Amino acid sequence: QVQLVESGGGFVQSGGSLRLSCAASGSIFRLRAMGWYRQAPGKQRELVAVMSNTEGTNYADSVKGRFTISRDNAKNTVFLQMNSLKPEDTGVYYCNVEAGTSRYQYWGQGTQVTVSS
């Protein structure tokens, strides 16, 4: 019974910062990657940042240099530090875990991030 719970979203002005957290509970068998996705209004869900066992860390071009993904293994938590936020960063941010031979994906409920101009 794997559960992912995001927190840290909110309202911020352009240029501000937010730090998202995702706490995972339950056992994850053969974890492959952990990451963050987001979905802006009227757009498809897109990958923001991912930490992969095989490919290391990768960021979407739109957030490179501004966002940082990290993990606290002791607390089984993944973070997303977001700096220099832009209105284009507005959306619902989802924590994601990919695991198993089938590459099964677990999703959090999402946390809203709103950036004003």
Side-chain angles (χ1 to χ4, degrees), residues 74-101:
K75 298 181 178 180
N76 205 21
T77 303
V78 62
F79 304 94
L80 185 68
Q81 178 66 45
M82 305 185 294
N83 298 325
S84 302
L85 283 162
K86 305 175 180 179
E88 303 89 85
D89 296 317
T90 294
V92 179
Y93 284 68
Y94 299 90
C95 180
N96 170 266
V97 171
E98 184 177 284
T101 305

Side-chain angles (χ1 to χ4, degrees), residues 11-105:
F11 180 87
V12 65
Q13 293 182 344
S14 180
S17 299
L18 287 173
R19 187 172 188 248
L20 306 183
S21 299
C22 173
S25 62
S27 298
I28 301 177
F29 179 73
R30 193 175 289 185
L31 183 146
R32 293 178 176 269
M34 300 184 67
W36 291 91
Y37 288 71
R38 69 185 180 189
Q39 187 165 21
K43 297 183 179 180
Q44 297 183 16
R45 186 175 299 184
E46 65 174 347
L47 188 146
V48 177
V50 62
M51 301 179 69
S52 171
N53 291 349
T54 59
E55 300 178 6
T57 303
N58 191 32
Y59 297 91
D61 289 340
S62 60
V63 307
K64 287 182 179 178
R66 301 188 297 119
F67 291 11
T68 303
I69 187 171
S70 61
R71 289 180 62 185
D72 184 339
N73 292 331
K75 298 181 178 180
N76 205 21
T77 303
V78 62
F79 304 94
L80 185 68
Q81 178 66 45
M82 305 185 294
N83 298 325
S84 302
L85 283 162
K86 305 175 180 179
E88 303 89 85
D89 296 317
T90 294
V92 179
Y93 284 68
Y94 299 90
C95 180
N96 170 266
V97 171
E98 184 177 284
T101 305
S102 64
R103 305 173 74 87
Y104 187 86
Q105 294 194 355

